[in-house]
Amino acid sequence: KRGTLETAPPMALRSKFSFPIVYGDARWPGAQLSVALRKTEEEYSQFILEQVYPIVSTASERMQYIDVFYASSEMNVHEVLMAMETDILWALGSIGFVTLYMGYHIRSVPFTAGAFFTIFASVPVAFVLVPMAKTTFASLMSLFLITVIDIDIIFVFNDFWKQSARWEEVDIRLAWTIVRAGRSCLATSLTTSVSFFANLLSALQPLREFGLFMGLCVTNVFVLALMLLPPLIVLRERKESRRREAAKAKTPDTTPKALPAGGQEVTPALSGKADEESALEPLKYSIDGAPIEGVDGVHTDGVDVQGQKLHERDRRSRVEKSTATCTNVILYRLVDCISTCPCFIILVSIICVGLFFFGIVKGITIDAGMPDIFQPGHNQIRGKALLGKFRNLADLSLESPPDLNISACSAPIAAANGKRPTGCDLFWCDMEPQEADSDRQGTCWRGPTLVGSLTNIGFSIDGCKTVHVHTQLVAGNTSIVPEWSEQWTQAIRSFTTPAARVVGSTTTTKLEPLVMEDWESGRVMEATYYQAGTFTSTRVDSPTSTNRCDMAAVCYFGPKRCSTRGWQAAGRFNITTATMRRLGDEAEQKMPHNRHVDDGLDAVSPRRLIMYGASLPENQQINVAVIFGLWAPTTSPLVGARELTWTWDSKFEPDNPWAQRAMAAMCTPELFPEKLWVVRKKCFIDDFQFMLDKSGLRFPSRSFDDDFQTWFRGDATFATQNLWMVDGKLRAAKLDFWADFKRDSGAGRALEYKEHWDAFVAERNAAATWTGNNAWHTSEVWVRSEAQDSIISSTTNTILTELVLGFGGILAFTGDPVLALIVLALIIGNVGGLACFMVQVAGWAIGPIEIIFLVVFLGYSVTFGLHMALNYSQVQPDDPQLVDVERWVQHRKANLAARLSKRRQKTPADMPCDDAALEREVVQAEGGLKRMSSPASSTVFVGPPRTAKEMRKARTRLAVLRVGGAIFSSTVSTIGSSTFLLFCTLNIFIRLGLVIIAVVILSLVSTLIVLPAVLLLIGPKPNPCYKRIPAELFEKLRRRVRPSTSATESKDTPLLM
């Protein structure tokens, strides 16, 4: 109602700006037009980015209460490029963090540089080996991913070299490092690469290429590391040796020998072979840095008489040793803590995995739509969401591509002579309601009086001898004309002269359609428009009046009429006898598509005339192309570019009349099924047919080549973009259609809509002859939707394949199915935790990007667990390092007991809180060291573990000490580098950083906490029955086959040399 607001006031306004630019002449050659078009596009892009973009991008900052969102293809691409430039700097920052951390950990600039060369050189090598069709964004991400995935190889080689210090010879240390670290890294590299190779089963060629590319990158890193890291280690060791020798030469040896209280030299309680005396540094010093009593000249009273020897090492070695010792303290105490409650840890882990999968099932949502590039608050995301709330953006366009030009003339006709204007294809007016209960009721309106067709005297008829009323009629049909004509005659007498003689006609002429449009809602109604003839009123009571006067009049029947501004009511009518066809809401319809209104005299502005049935903006409508004359392969190679991208369709003959009919039928709106929702089209065959009709020729053309050349010269610009020609003859054609279907709809809905096009094109092909029945349709939405659907549908198969291959790789390297099953269970838990993080913590819908993350990092989650399991399987009871570590552990416990005993002797009645903690630590100690009565007894080496429980703990402890430091260092570097990605602009980088941090934390917890707990509780023996029995059977079988050789062999001869 006027003066009130029935709905909420508008909260958003939109505007569309079009820039008509002329870049050439249709008479120019095609090559010249292409050059001019490219130049104009460059100038236009420069104009948008340099002049328009700075204004709209800062508009929100200048306005206090208004947010301004903007969109165009040039500005969208520009924002993506700007974001990528910024994000590349953050990615470089993450790589810089890894460089600094690795340099701090390794303490060698050449070694750090060589390590990064090892990692990054794998990418160009893999790029050469993989015949990729094109370089994708995922290929660029591989530089970061390979750093995250394979950084542990560098730390593993470095830590194993440190652990080889029990030998003095460099060649022996190097061989031991290569065998131990190489075997561990080979297992993880091959298992991870095989997991990536599992993506070769994907239906998408880019994902297959990415899987092969990343798998080769991982393999290349291992090969390059095996080739380059050992020489770098040797160079670093030689440099360190020269420094130690130089420092030793400058520092005199003033360290006294260890003497007992009586002054006689004694031999340390622990003495043995030379290799045992030159064991690892932790055997001389406890993991907290304190000297072990009773070893290498350390007095039993706790006085370190050899501490001065530490000055022989330079500052660099002391810092390195301090770092390693701190890591050993953490790992040693971690294993001791886990050993106190492994069952509880396993139970909590099982509950967490159950909660992971429960959270996934409870909160998972599938998003098959197009992934957003930016965060939700970005201009492109918020602007796109806001634009989707508007409707009919097409009616704001001033340059809608025409297929059929028509002219709309204003109604009602106000010509003085009553003749309708020429060149009108339809009439248009603003619609207003009128008081009419049915289509039998109506009103008539008259225009101003014109004297001599020149002078407007208003609505007076003074001085008029004759009044010619040129009448138009808007009604459902002509059955009302007789009765209406009588009533209209009486009405004319009422506004002229009651005594006038009125002569009229009951003959009507049907005019072009009348389109009435409601200004506020944009609703359109088509009505039947008639020329009802001229009614002449002659005055007989005024002999002095001699002028001829003319006026226009129009009568409307039904609830709607045109705007009567400037007209005067001339009467109301009620028809009682005629049978009317209702003209109202049932007659409302949308105008035909693909029409454009020419501006001109009495023409209606196209901004008001809605010619489209679209409910979506043009930039959100889907474009479908139907192709004639080309054949495209339906399959793609495993990797690499297609040998044949397309070829000509030899059956297509455009000069054949039936082929022309097939193309024309494809573009006939009357044949479009309703579910296609086509709102506009661009078909060359329509323009070609129009040219033939205009020239008086028949369609289809018998002389197609000549007629086509004539049409081509008149519209070369359009033809070069949609047609393929060879030697001046048409070989293939593209027909474009735009449908009222949202282009960023989900994959499922898009594929359902695609089925309607499949049926339509198949129906048209079935109706055509063989010269034009190989048409096919394509759209970028089809490609994207099928790709997303393939990713989602093949995820289960890919993940299962990766799990099977991962299990096979673990089993092949560990040789133990129990260990393989344990690690596989941890991998499943990690993947479940990662998926739960995406669904519940991050609140993401599972789409193509999230699925790729799951597939990629499933292979990465194998790495840590496999390192630990492989080293556990390699520890045997007679392993020298196991003996050394257990001796070190027992000495540490003995020292703790001695310190507690001395403190108790000093304060037996009142023990401080720190002594209580020391006592608890001693009570937790295992291996026969219950409570030492004297410090001298602390030097007794009980020996290696004897029970199965002790052996499991010893093997677990050694495995953790071997690779725990490398795993921890790899975790710190990975989390630190991924943190930089959280500050990026592009959504994919932010999500990648979050996913990497989540999967690394899950892998660290499962490897250093859950896996040791499982190994402590149910870890397999060094030689379990399922390995021992087959070996014994094989030995018996071998001796039966070769009895002579077996008799001469020693009993202790190993089966494999």
Side-chain angles (χ1 to χ4, degrees):
K1 298 179 181 179
R2 188 179 300 275
T4 62
L5 288 176
E6 298 181 350
T7 59
M11 301 300 295
L13 301 174
R14 59 175 177 167
S15 300
K16 180 177 180 180
F17 299 91
S18 299
F19 302 93
I21 301 175
V22 178
Y23 63 89
D25 195 308
R27 294 170 292 182
W28 290 2
Q32 186 177 359
L33 281 174
S34 300
V35 173
L37 178 60
R38 285 194 298 268
K39 182 179 179 181
T40 305
E41 289 176 345
E42 293 175 358
E43 294 176 351
Y44 174 75
S45 179
Q46 183 178 4
F47 161 72
I48 292 295
L49 299 181
E50 295 182 358
Q51 299 187 35
V52 178
Y53 181 74
I55 296 176
V56 297
S57 61
T58 59
S60 298
E61 301 176 1
R62 299 192 306 268
M63 301 180 182
Q64 184 176 2
Y65 301 106
I66 299 177
D67 291 329
V68 178
F69 303 99
Y70 48 90
S72 76
S73 58
E74 293 79 13
M75 288 189 285
N76 293 345
V77 173
H78 179 66
E79 287 184 334
V80 173
L81 294 177
M82 290 178 57
M84 290 187 65
E85 292 178 359
T86 304
D87 294 351
I88 287 175
L89 296 179
W90 286 111
L92 294 177
S94 67
I95 295 176
F97 173 84
V98 176
T99 305
L100 295 176
Y101 181 81
M102 184 180 294
Y104 172 78
H105 185 82
I106 297 176
R107 308 299 174 86
S108 174
V109 175
F111 191 91
T112 303
F116 265 97
F117 175 80
T118 299
I119 294 176
F120 291 145
S122 64
V123 176
V125 173
F127 189 81
V128 173
L129 295 177
V130 178
M132 291 191 295
K134 58 182 178 180
T135 302
T136 61
F137 184 73
S139 302
L140 299 178
M141 288 176 56
S142 62
L143 286 172
F144 181 81
L145 291 177
I146 198 63
T147 305
V148 172
I149 293 174
D150 276 342
I151 193 68
D152 62 296
I153 290 182
I154 309 300
F155 294 118
V156 168
F157 268 88
N158 184 68
D159 286 6
F160 270 89
W161 172 256
K162 292 180 180 180
Q163 297 173 25
S164 68
R166 65 188 309 271
W167 291 282
E168 294 183 358
E169 297 81 1
V170 175
D171 54 348
I172 296 178
R173 293 182 63 187
L174 190 62
W176 187 86
T177 301
I178 292 176
V179 171
R180 297 281 182 169
R183 184 184 303 173
S184 181
C185 294
L186 175 64
T188 56
S189 297
L190 288 184
T191 305
T192 305
S193 61
V194 167
S195 299
F196 279 114
F197 291 150
N199 289 283
L200 291 173
L201 301 177
S202 174
L204 300 180
Q205 188 188 45
L207 194 56
R208 295 197 299 266
E209 291 179 348
F210 175 73
L212 179 60
F213 181 77
M214 286 301 302
L216 289 177
C217 284
V218 173
T219 305
N220 292 338
V221 169
F222 171 75
V223 174
L224 293 174
L226 202 61
M227 294 172 58
L228 300 179
L229 292 186
L232 292 173
I233 290 175
V234 172
L235 292 176
R236 184 185 64 174
E237 182 62 23
R238 289 178 178 177
K239 186 176 181 180
E240 292 295 330
S241 298
R242 289 193 296 268
R243 288 186 178 182
R244 287 194 296 266
E245 291 175 358
K248 184 177 180 180
K250 294 179 181 179
T251 305
D253 187 6
T254 60
T255 304
K257 296 183 179 180
L259 297 176
Q264 296 181 357
E265 182 178 348
V266 297
T267 304
L270 280 179
S271 60
K273 299 179 181 179
D275 60 339
E276 293 182 356
E277 293 178 348
S278 60
L280 291 168
E281 284 296 322
L283 295 178
K284 298 179 181 180
Y285 297 88
S286 64
I287 56 178
D288 57 1
I292 299 177
E293 299 185 23
V295 180
D296 292 346
V298 180
H299 280 294
T300 57
D301 58 357
V303 179
D304 185 4
V305 297
Q306 292 189 357
Q308 298 298 326
K309 289 186 177 182
L310 290 175
H311 296 290
E312 299 176 2
R313 292 179 169 86
D314 57 8
R315 178 178 177 277
R316 187 188 182 102
S317 299
R318 290 198 305 270
V319 175
E320 178 180 352
K321 184 176 180 180
S322 175
T323 304
T325 301
C326 181
T327 305
N328 287 338
V329 170
I330 296 174
L331 296 175
Y332 172 80
R333 292 181 177 176
L334 178 64
V335 175
D336 270 0
C337 292
I338 295 173
S339 64
T340 60
C341 53
C343 295
F344 176 76
I345 294 176
I346 295 174
L347 179 61
V348 172
S349 302
I350 294 174
I351 294 175
C352 289
V353 172
L355 292 177
F356 288 161
F357 286 97
F358 176 77
I360 295 171
V361 175
K362 191 72 175 177
I364 189 172
T365 56
I366 303 298
D367 180 16
M370 190 69 178
D372 291 331
I373 299 179
F374 296 99
Q375 288 292 293
H378 192 271
N379 163 71
Q380 292 192 22
I381 305 303
R382 291 186 61 191
K384 180 180 178 181
L386 185 63
L387 187 63
K389 298 181 180 180
F390 288 94
R391 298 184 61 191
N392 296 327
L393 185 61
D395 63 335
L396 301 178
S397 176
L398 296 178
E399 276 76 36
S400 299
D403 283 312
L404 191 61
N405 294 325
I406 63 173
S407 296
C409 299
S410 296
I413 302 172
N417 55 9
K419 296 182 179 179
R420 65 179 183 182
T422 59
C424 296
D425 296 299
L426 58 83
F427 294 91
W428 175 89
C429 70
D430 276 331
M431 180 170 59
E432 291 184 359
Q434 68 174 359
E435 296 180 2
D437 296 333
S438 67
D439 293 332
R440 300 183 179 210
Q441 297 178 355
T443 59
C444 288
W445 301 78
R446 68 186 183 95
T449 305
L450 300 179
V451 178
S453 300
L454 295 175
T455 305
N456 186 337
I457 62 173
F459 296 99
S460 172
I461 59 171
D462 295 339
C464 296
K465 177 66 176 179
T466 58
V467 179
H468 301 272
V469 183
H470 310 291
T471 308
Q472 305 136 53
L473 177 64
V474 179
N477 53 46
T478 57
S479 61
I480 66 168
V481 171
E483 186 174 353
W484 163 79
S485 179
E486 295 178 1
Q487 297 183 19
W488 178 233
T489 300
Q490 296 298 326
I492 292 176
R493 290 193 180 98
S494 65
F495 63 77
T496 55
T497 301
R501 184 174 65 252
V502 179
V503 179
S505 172
T506 58
T507 303
T508 58
T509 303
K510 188 174 182 180
L511 302 175
E512 285 74 17
L514 171 63
V515 177
M516 294 188 288
E517 180 185 14
D518 182 69
W519 179 269
E520 295 181 359
S521 66
R523 189 172 55 183
V524 174
M525 185 181 75
E526 182 179 349
T528 307
Y529 199 22
Y530 298 96
Q531 182 79 43
T534 301
F535 290 75
T536 303
S537 174
T538 304
R539 300 185 63 174
V540 295
D541 57 347
S542 179
T544 59
S545 300
T546 59
N547 296 328
R548 169 193 166 99
C549 297
D550 294 88
M551 68 174 62
V554 60
C555 297
Y556 304 93
F557 282 85
K560 307 295 181 183
R561 60 176 172 81
C562 290
S563 175
T564 56
R565 184 177 304 173
W567 293 61
Q568 190 177 70
R572 297 181 56 84
F573 306 94
N574 188 5
I575 307 302
T576 59
T577 58
T579 302
M580 299 291 294
R581 179 177 66 86
R582 177 167 176 77
L583 179 62
D585 295 337
E586 287 81 347
E588 294 183 13
Q589 60 183 9
K590 295 180 179 180
M591 292 301 297
H593 309 306
N594 305 306
R595 294 199 171 191
H596 178 78
V597 182
D598 284 337
D599 294 329
L601 184 63
D602 293 331
V604 182
S605 173
R607 65 182 179 89
R608 292 296 311 138
L609 183 59
I610 297 180
M611 284 297 188
Y612 301 98
S615 61
L616 295 173
E618 291 182 9
N619 60 348
Q620 295 187 23
Q621 295 171 1
I622 185 177
N623 171 243
V624 181
V626 177
I627 309 297
F628 283 86
L630 291 180
W631 177 85
T634 56
T635 59
S636 60
L638 187 66
V639 293
R642 293 185 177 96
E643 296 182 0
L644 180 64
T645 56
W646 61 272
T647 185
W648 301 113
D649 180 10
S650 58
K651 295 172 55 179
F652 180 62
E653 299 178 1
D655 56 343
N656 188 291
W658 289 103
Q660 299 173 42
R661 294 188 181 100
M663 290 186 288
M666 193 72 71
C667 293
T668 302
E670 290 76 12
L671 300 178
F672 293 160
E674 183 180 357
K675 294 183 178 181
L676 288 188
W677 303 327
V678 176
V679 295
R680 56 192 176 101
K681 58 187 176 71
K682 182 186 291 184
C683 301
F684 90 96
I685 197 68
D686 289 344
D687 294 344
F688 177 72
Q689 185 175 0
F690 179 79
M691 187 270 294
L692 293 179
D693 294 340
K694 189 176 180 180
S695 302
L697 302 175
R698 292 191 306 169
F699 179 85
S701 173
R702 288 289 184 180
S703 56
F704 177 80
D705 293 338
D706 296 336
D707 295 337
F708 178 78
Q709 283 294 330
T710 303
W711 169 82
F712 180 83
R713 287 189 294 270
D715 198 357
T717 304
F718 169 74
T720 54
Q721 298 176 355
N722 297 273
L723 305 175
W724 291 264
M725 301 181 63
V726 176
D727 297 332
K729 295 184 178 181
L730 179 66
R731 289 299 307 269
K734 180 183 72 169
L735 312 178
D736 281 317
F737 302 88
W738 285 265
D740 196 34
F741 182 84
K742 199 170 184 179
R743 63 184 306 167
D744 57 354
S745 299
R749 188 165 179 263
L751 293 178
E752 291 178 0
Y753 176 69
K754 175 179 174 291
E755 294 178 357
H756 299 307
W757 278 94
D758 293 338
F760 170 68
V761 175
E763 179 184 358
R764 292 294 91 215
N765 284 336
T769 61
W770 66 274
T771 59
N773 64 352
N774 279 344
W776 51 278
H777 64 95
T778 183
S779 173
E780 62 176 356
V781 178
W782 306 159
V783 178
R784 171 178 55 82
S785 301
E786 289 177 347
Q788 294 175 359
D789 184 69
S790 298
I791 291 176
I792 295 175
S793 61
S794 62
T795 300
T796 304
N797 296 333
T798 304
I799 291 179
L800 290 178
T801 303
E802 289 191 13
L803 291 176
V804 172
L805 294 177
F807 174 80
I810 300 170
L811 179 62
F813 284 98
T814 62
D816 196 312
V818 175
L819 278 177
L821 288 174
I822 292 174
V823 176
L824 182 64
L826 293 179
I827 295 172
I828 295 175
N830 289 339
V831 175
L834 179 59
C836 183
F837 169 80
M838 293 180 180
V839 172
Q840 294 292 346
V841 180
W844 301 340
I846 299 300
I849 298 298
E850 289 73 23
I851 288 175
I852 291 176
F853 286 159
L854 288 174
V855 172
V856 169
F857 290 103
L858 187 149
Y860 173 74
S861 62
V862 179
T863 305
F864 290 174
L866 183 54
H867 274 305
M868 186 70 67
L870 182 60
N871 280 273
Y872 179 87
S873 66
Q874 292 175 351
V875 177
Q876 299 298 322
D878 57 348
D879 193 324
Q881 194 177 7
L882 176 66
V883 177
D884 293 338
V885 171
E886 288 306 303
R887 181 188 293 115
W888 166 53
V889 171
Q890 293 179 18
H891 283 194
R892 182 179 186 278
K893 295 173 182 176
N895 283 336
L896 293 175
R899 289 164 55 192
L900 178 61
S901 177
K902 289 181 179 180
R903 293 188 182 184
R904 281 185 168 180
Q905 293 175 4
K906 295 179 180 179
T907 57
D910 186 15
M911 180 182 295
C913 59
D914 56 344
D915 292 342
L918 185 61
E919 183 181 19
R920 287 195 300 270
E921 191 171 356
V922 173
V923 171
Q924 294 174 2
E926 301 175 356
L929 298 174
K930 298 299 182 183
R931 189 69 59 89
M932 300 300 172
S933 58
S934 64
S937 63
S938 65
T939 62
V940 177
F941 177 50
V942 178
R946 294 180 175 85
T947 64
K949 181 178 180 180
E950 293 176 353
M951 179 56 68
R952 287 197 300 269
K953 183 173 182 179
R955 296 175 71 194
T956 303
R957 180 188 293 115
L958 181 56
V960 171
L961 291 177
R962 278 183 176 178
V963 297
I967 292 175
F968 184 77
S969 299
S970 177
T971 301
V972 172
S973 64
T974 301
I975 292 178
S977 62
S978 301
T979 303
F980 284 83
L981 298 183
L982 303 182
F983 299 97
C984 292
T985 304
L986 294 180
N987 196 26
I988 186 172
F989 283 123
I990 299 175
R991 295 196 174 192
L992 177 62
L994 290 173
V995 167
I996 291 176
I997 293 174
V999 74
V1000 168
I1001 293 176
L1002 289 170
S1003 299
L1004 179 69
V1005 172
S1006 63
T1007 303
L1008 293 185
I1009 297 179
V1010 181
L1011 182 56
V1014 176
L1015 295 177
L1016 287 170
L1017 192 64
I1018 58 172
K1021 298 179 180 179
N1023 191 21
C1025 60
Y1026 51 80
K1027 296 173 63 176
R1028 184 181 66 255
I1029 295 177
E1032 292 175 354
L1033 293 177
F1034 179 77
E1035 177 66 16
K1036 292 179 180 180
L1037 180 62
R1038 188 182 67 85
R1039 293 191 177 188
R1040 288 182 180 181
V1041 174
R1042 302 172 60 188
S1044 58
T1045 305
S1046 301
T1048 60
E1049 289 179 347
S1050 173
K1051 181 179 180 181
D1052 297 330
T1053 301
L1055 183 62
L1056 297 175
M1057 297 298 293

